[in-house]
Amino acid sequence: MKNKFLNFFFIYTTTNVMKDMDYIPINCSFYDFIEIFASRKQKISIHFERTNGDSESIDAVILDTLVKDKVEYIILSNNTTLRCDHIISLNGIINPSYTEK
């Protein structure tokens, strides 16, 4: 049941926050921070790049991570799924792999 929900959730939510471009793998130590925040289930500040190139900050809980077609995502408590290479920072921790597109 969970996998069916995640597939629907993934298809429904990703269209608003992602660009159609090649995935840039993120730094392993930054991914460790993603996993730490996800395990703590605490609301954090997430700064990311939107589809139109603008940046935005939101406060949300990282519920889970997802890999689909070799692209890493985080699933958030506000019904948003973000590509990890679009994350600029988590709680002020800069993603060293992020590059402006």
Side-chain angles (χ1 to χ4, degrees):
M1 180 69 175
K2 184 178 178 183
N3 287 338
K4 288 182 181 179
F5 172 75
L6 285 178
N7 285 338
F8 170 77
F9 185 79
F10 175 80
I11 292 166
Y12 180 75
T13 60
T14 55
T15 55
N16 292 328
V17 293
M18 286 183 270
K19 292 182 178 179
D20 185 23
M21 58 182 11
D22 290 336
Y23 180 72
I24 301 168
I26 65 167
N27 179 289
C28 291
S29 62
F30 189 74
Y31 194 83
D32 290 343
F33 285 113
I34 291 172
E35 290 181 328
I36 289 167
F37 288 128
S39 69
R40 291 182 181 166
K41 301 293 184 201
Q42 70 186 50
K43 189 176 277 192
I44 61 169
S45 177
I46 303 163
H47 189 71
F48 64 97
E49 181 182 9
R50 295 198 58 79
T51 305
N52 63 6
D54 292 343
S55 63
E56 181 178 341
S57 290
I58 57 173
D59 292 330
V61 174
I62 299 174
L63 299 177
D64 206 354
T65 59
L66 172 70
V67 178
K68 184 163 178 76
D69 299 325
K70 299 181 183 179
V71 178
E72 298 167 306
Y73 300 90
I74 57 173
I75 301 169
L76 304 177
S77 59
N78 67 351
N79 296 329
T80 301
T81 302
L82 295 175
R83 272 177 51 157
C84 290
D85 63 338
H86 288 216
I87 300 170
I88 299 169
S89 67
L90 297 174
N91 261 7
I93 300 168
I94 302 295
N95 177 359
S97 303
Y98 174 77
T99 56
E100 286 190 45
K101 282 104 179 144

